[in-house]
């Protein structure tokens, strides 16, 4: 059996690992740790979150760090602030007994000054998001010319979030003899290109091939109207009484709403999203792991780091824009030798994504109907009956009462008795489903309007003005990236984005307006200050003044406000 002792790690690291309760290395650790300790060959690892990849690159880097040297020796780039913090915290715990090792986490949405101070104190390892890392390099506060290690963590995620330019700029300033370690959950063409661009003669490791896990997962989609999404979710949960799964939502607002409704309706449910503090998150995760929660409603980002092996279902309350995320979602079920189901709720307009999804998965995503009330009742009823058949009877304790009970029920026939026992548990269910309607929507797509501009609910969004537009090479991706880098809350709902020559208008979740304004005070993008503030100019009133230049109206208002 592989143990950590055989991998060549220092005593101090072995002792920390032991304290963390790691008994044996995960497959990726068993391969990557000796590789990085003993060679300087680049490494490409195909590994999903939850495989132990942080320790796979973190431990050997910490092992090889020159503690006497206070310059930056390793840069670890991560797509999000959350992952960045998670990786930095993990590295802190691994190095708890390595006196003199300093780790800095640098990410947007928080004071750059404090991060500069921390860097000045002499950190050998820097974990950062690409935007903030580049900003610090350009301000000459972060020297990367003599680093020995560069880690690209969740590289596919970084590319899909539009960080390619930032990565290019960062990598251009690093020495050619560094060791590059690239970790990616998926291997799209962009990653293959990235490898040939950034790495030389690399060694490859693949753990838990996607295909193997995908073999155990069945994918099915259901077509519903938006207004019936929640009712459809309930029916899917009810028709699988033993469900233990994650319901993925796109935004934190939706996540909260769905979980609240489920709790109100009596389900063992809770939500996991970016608004929770770390201790609240831990609490929810622990409850889920111990199965006190049957249905966890989560955003993609929040569910990262949650490693539960025996999920029966993943339910996609809606499809993610990026289908790679779907692959991550569905890969959370069907692990090991377990079977799993990934269920997708789509409306008729979203149907075309199913074809692209089938191409991506290389397997069929079958159409299924949301079950009707009768079917749900039948399933619930027989699950209950199975339980009655299999329940362990405590003869000693029941025996005390059995004569009395038998006497009392003497007047009922066997059939009448069964009916009554079933009804006690079941009446509420039956009455809920008695008048249940068909939730399946038309699959032809005729009932969906195709509109280039997304229909958004103007009550939900505030329109923000950004003083960057086409002239500054802004596109939706770069705007998302800017938001991701600056905002302290992640996963905010974004509505329409309109990009003009000199500026852009961005619809963003109204509930977070003040927080967004705070996050953008003194904000920078590519080393320059940017303005991002509420515009009095909503997308709605602009529509009614089509011919006028929106920017002109904004300027006029601004002057008036002075
Ligand atoms: P990661 O893939 O690095 O995000 O790690 C996923 C989870 O697995 C984290 O909670 C780690 O603390 C945990 N973990 C990593 N390596 C091991 C190990 N060898 N044994 C037990 N747990 C581990």
């Amino acid at each position: 059996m592989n143990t950590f002792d055989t991998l060549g790690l220092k005593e101090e690291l072995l002792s920390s690992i032991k304290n963390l309760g790691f008994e044996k290395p995960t497959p990726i650790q068993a391969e990557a740790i000796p590789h990085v300790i003993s060679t300087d060959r680049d490494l490409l690892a195909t590994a999903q979150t939850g495989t132990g990849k942080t320790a796979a690159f973190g431990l050997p880097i910490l092992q090889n760090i020159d503690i006497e040297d206070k310059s930056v020796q390793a840069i670890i780039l991560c797509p999000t602030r959350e992952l960045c913090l998670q990786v930095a915290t993990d590295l802190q715990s691994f190095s708890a007994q390595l006196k003199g090792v300093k780790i800095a986490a640098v990410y947007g949405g928080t004071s750059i000054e404090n991060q500069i101070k921390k860097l000045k104190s002499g950190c050998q390892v820097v974990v950062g998001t690409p935007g903030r890392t580049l900003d610090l390099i350009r301000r000459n506060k972060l020297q990367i010319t003599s680093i020995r290690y560069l880690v690209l963590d969740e590289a596919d995620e970084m590319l899909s979030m539009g960080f390619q330019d930032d990565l290019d700029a960062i990598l251009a300033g690093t020495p050619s003899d560094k060791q590059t370690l690239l970790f990616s959950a998926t291997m799209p063409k962009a990653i293959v290109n990235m490898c040939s661009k950034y790495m030389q003669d690399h060694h490859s490791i693949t753990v838990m091939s996607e295909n193997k896990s995908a073999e155990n997962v069945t994918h099915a989609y259901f077509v519903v109207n938006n207004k019936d999404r929640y009712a459809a979710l309930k029916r899917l949960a009810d028709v699988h009484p033993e469900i233990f799964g994650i319901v993925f939502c796109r935004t934190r607002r939706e996540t909260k709403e769905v979980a609240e409704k489920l709790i109100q309706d009596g389900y063992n449910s809770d939500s996991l999203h970016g608004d929770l503090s770390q201790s609240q998150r831990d609490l929810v995760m622990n409850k889920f792991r111990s199965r006190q929660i049957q249905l966890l409603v989560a955003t993609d980002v929040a569910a990262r780091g949650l490693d539960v092996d025996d999920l029966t279902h993943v339910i996609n309350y809606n499809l993610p824009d990026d289908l790679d995320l779907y692959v991550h979602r569905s890969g959370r079920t069907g692990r090991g030798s377990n079977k799993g189901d990934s269920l997708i709720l789509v409306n008729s307009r979203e149907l075309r994504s199913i074809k692209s999804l089938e191409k991506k998965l290389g397997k069929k995503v079958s159409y299924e109907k949301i079950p009707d009330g009768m079917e749900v009742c039948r399933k619930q009823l027989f699950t209950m009956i199975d339980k009655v058949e299999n329940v362990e009877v405590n003869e000693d304790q029941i025996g005390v009462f059995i004569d009395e009970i038998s006497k009392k029920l003497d007047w009922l026939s066997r059939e009448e008795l069964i009916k009554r026992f079933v009804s006690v548990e079941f009446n509420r269910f039956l009455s809920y489903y008695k008048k249940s309607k068909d939730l399946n929507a038309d699959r032809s797509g005729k009932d969906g309007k195709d509109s280039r501009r997304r229909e958004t609910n103007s009550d939900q969004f505030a329109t923000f003005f950004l003083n960057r537009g086409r002239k500054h090479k802004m596109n939706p991706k770069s705007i998302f990236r800017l938001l991701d880098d600056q905002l302290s809350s992640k996963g905010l709902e974004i509505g329409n984005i309109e990009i003009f020559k000199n500026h852009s208008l961005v619809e963003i979740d109204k509930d977070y307006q003040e927080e967004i304004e705070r996050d953008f005070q003194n904000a920078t993008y590519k080393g320059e200050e940017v303005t991002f503030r509420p515009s009095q100019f909503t997308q709605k009133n602009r529509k009614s003044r089509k011919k006028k230049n929106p920017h002109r109206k904004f300027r006029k208002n601004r002057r008036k406000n002075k």
Side-chain angles (χ1 to χ4, degrees):
M1 185 182 85
N2 238 334
T3 63
F4 277 110
D5 299 337
T6 60
L7 300 181
L9 289 167
K10 288 180 182 175
E11 267 313 312
E12 292 93 327
L13 292 170
L14 289 174
S15 155
S16 302
I17 297 167
K18 205 168 159 209
N19 289 343
L20 287 169
F22 296 2
E23 283 170 9
K24 60 182 178 97
T26 64
I28 193 159
Q29 291 163 358
E31 270 208 65
I33 293 173
H35 172 90
V36 182
I37 288 180
S38 58
T39 81
D40 51 14
R41 211 171 145 202
D42 291 342
L43 179 74
L44 164 66
T46 315
Q48 299 194 342
T49 301
T51 50
K53 64 189 168 58
T54 315
F57 61 74
L59 290 170
I61 288 179
L62 290 168
Q63 162 105 0
N64 286 357
I65 284 292
D66 178 354
I67 298 178
E68 301 307 316
D69 180 357
K70 300 297 172 202
S71 64
V72 179
Q73 297 170 47
I75 297 274
I76 297 155
L77 296 173
C78 311
T80 62
R81 163 199 164 108
E82 189 171 60
L83 185 65
C84 182
L85 277 167
Q86 192 182 312
V87 169
T89 311
D90 284 355
L91 297 190
Q92 303 278 16
S93 345
F94 301 152
S95 62
Q97 301 184 40
L98 279 179
K99 295 285 165 268
V101 169
K102 272 196 172 176
I103 297 152
V106 299
Y107 46 83
T110 184
S111 155
I112 198 167
E113 297 306 327
N114 290 343
Q115 295 174 356
I116 292 173
K117 239 186 248 162
K118 173 97 196 198
L119 289 174
K120 263 197 192 146
S121 72
C123 295
Q124 295 98 340
V125 182
V126 174
V127 190
T129 52
R132 182 52 67 92
T133 303
L134 188 58
D135 198 352
L136 287 161
I137 293 170
R138 289 196 169 142
R139 291 174 188 227
N140 266 330
K141 303 296 178 197
L142 173 58
Q143 270 70 38
I144 55 164
T145 45
S146 54
I147 57 164
R148 291 163 60 200
Y149 298 100
L150 175 85
V151 180
L152 300 165
D153 192 12
E154 301 207 354
D156 49 353
E157 202 60 31
M158 287 201 277
L159 289 190
S160 70
M161 287 171 70
F163 282 130
Q164 179 78 65
D165 289 351
D166 288 355
L167 293 179
D168 285 342
I170 295 170
L171 266 96
T174 58
S176 57
D177 60 355
K178 69 183 175 302
Q179 186 172 22
T180 303
L181 315 173
L182 188 150
F183 288 76
S184 185
T186 57
M187 250 332 112
K189 203 159 163 253
I191 293 288
V192 177
N193 293 341
M194 198 169 173
C195 295
S196 45
K197 195 160 147 191
Y198 296 148
M199 304 209 289
Q200 302 147 9
D201 175 34
H202 61 262
H203 174 63
S204 299
I205 304 177
T206 301
V207 288
M208 200 190 77
S209 97
E210 291 262 350
N211 286 340
K212 188 160 181 303
S213 88
E215 269 168 29
N216 296 339
V217 183
T218 311
H219 306 263
Y221 71 95
F222 303 81
V223 187
V224 295
N225 290 321
N226 280 346
K227 65 176 172 39
D228 294 327
R229 239 177 243 268
Y230 175 70
L233 168 68
K234 268 187 12 169
R235 247 184 240 187
L236 292 178
D238 288 344
V239 86
H240 298 107
E242 305 296 336
I243 193 167
F244 174 51
I246 304 183
V247 179
F248 280 100
C249 292
R250 268 207 258 222
T251 65
R252 64 183 68 192
R253 174 196 284 260
E254 192 174 59
T255 304
K256 281 190 245 179
E257 281 172 4
V258 171
E260 271 163 24
K261 281 199 230 167
L262 284 172
I263 294 166
Q264 257 171 29
D265 289 339
Y267 293 82
N268 292 330
S269 180
D270 211 333
S271 58
L272 198 59
H273 52 76
D275 281 348
L276 302 180
S277 67
Q278 192 58 44
S279 58
Q280 287 171 318
R281 286 168 54 87
D282 289 346
L283 190 69
V284 174
M285 287 193 190
N286 287 337
K287 275 201 214 154
F288 187 54
R289 285 195 191 100
S290 62
R291 291 193 173 230
Q292 290 170 60
I293 295 172
Q294 214 180 342
L295 278 178
L296 179 69
V297 191
T299 56
D300 291 283
V301 174
R304 267 190 210 148
L306 173 66
D307 198 27
V308 178
D309 274 342
D310 45 359
L311 298 186
T312 60
H313 288 79
V314 160
I315 301 186
N316 298 268
Y317 196 66
N318 27 44
L319 268 180
D321 288 328
D322 175 0
L323 294 183
D324 275 338
L325 278 181
Y326 175 86
V327 179
H328 278 271
R329 287 180 180 185
S330 57
R332 289 177 166 277
T333 182
R335 289 191 172 178
S337 55
N338 298 329
K339 293 235 177 292
D341 286 305
S342 178
L343 311 180
I344 311 161
L345 295 172
V346 287
N347 65 27
S348 52
R349 263 172 291 161
E350 294 160 333
L351 266 175
R352 73 188 92 160
S353 307
I354 298 292
K355 282 269 156 292
S356 323
L357 188 58
E358 286 185 328
K359 257 196 217 149
K360 178 157 236 28
L361 296 166
K363 72 192 285 191
K364 180 127 187 82
V365 179
S366 56
Y367 169 67
E368 282 182 26
K369 289 200 148 200
I370 295 286
D372 61 20
M374 268 311 276
E375 201 179 332
V376 174
C377 287
R378 193 182 157 73
K379 192 67 197 261
Q380 285 280 347
L381 192 54
F382 280 92
T383 306
M384 195 185 98
I385 301 297
D386 279 347
K387 278 192 190 153
V388 170
E389 279 191 310
N390 295 319
V391 71
E392 212 176 293
V393 175
N394 189 327
E395 297 287 354
D396 290 347
Q397 284 174 2
I398 301 274
V400 179
F401 305 103
I402 203 72
D403 284 347
E404 205 177 332
I405 297 172
S406 301
K407 227 184 257 169
K408 189 157 173 38
L409 299 178
D410 208 17
W411 61 284
L412 291 169
S413 67
R414 181 175 188 269
E415 196 184 327
E416 196 59 32
L417 199 58
I418 293 173
K419 273 196 222 159
R420 281 168 193 252
F421 268 98
V422 168
S423 301
V424 169
E425 271 284 311
F426 215 59
N427 273 355
R428 214 161 49 95
F429 225 91
L430 284 173
S431 67
Y432 175 77
Y433 275 111
K434 197 163 62 189
K435 291 194 200 121
S436 61
K437 64 170 191 170
D438 181 4
L439 296 178
N440 295 288
D442 185 2
R443 271 207 295 164
S444 66
K446 279 183 217 139
D447 51 348
K449 290 187 202 101
D450 192 16
S451 148
R452 271 167 54 102
R453 204 166 176 279
R454 257 200 311 151
E455 283 291 317
T456 57
N457 174 1
S458 56
D459 292 340
Q460 186 185 342
F461 292 106
T463 303
F464 275 73
F465 166 86
L466 171 69
N467 68 340
R468 289 283 184 282
R470 280 199 303 278
K471 199 172 91 182
H472 311 92
K473 299 207 170 97
M474 295 313 279
N475 54 35
K477 260 192 175 171
S478 53
I479 291 181
F480 276 125
R481 201 174 63 195
L482 169 68
L483 295 176
D484 195 72
D485 222 29
Q486 292 298 335
L487 297 180
S488 41
S489 293
K490 299 294 163 205
L492 295 197
E493 183 136 24
I494 313 286
N496 285 303
I497 295 179
E498 298 202 66
I499 301 170
F500 300 85
K501 189 171 163 207
N502 294 303
H503 75 286
S504 307
L505 293 176
V506 183
E507 282 183 344
I508 189 160
D509 197 332
K510 203 171 171 174
D511 291 352
Y512 295 85
Q513 182 160 327
E514 279 177 21
E515 183 185 317
I516 296 167
E517 284 181 67
R518 259 199 320 275
D519 285 345
F520 267 91
Q521 275 168 15
N522 308 320
T524 55
Y525 180 64
K526 299 202 168 176
E528 287 179 22
E529 260 186 45
V530 285
T531 302
F532 189 71
R533 63 170 167 226
S535 164
Q536 288 137 10
F537 200 70
T538 63
Q539 309 241 358
K540 205 166 148 199
N541 67 29
R542 200 175 61 75
K543 246 170 47 194
S544 59
R545 298 173 61 101
K546 243 184 218 157
K547 297 209 169 128
K548 295 202 172 169
N549 174 355
H551 195 42
R552 206 178 326 135
K553 177 166 184 257
F554 176 78
R555 284 214 203 101
K556 208 168 98 197
N557 280 341
R558 206 162 46 160
R559 253 185 257 126
K560 235 193 305 182
N561 290 340
K562 275 187 180 168

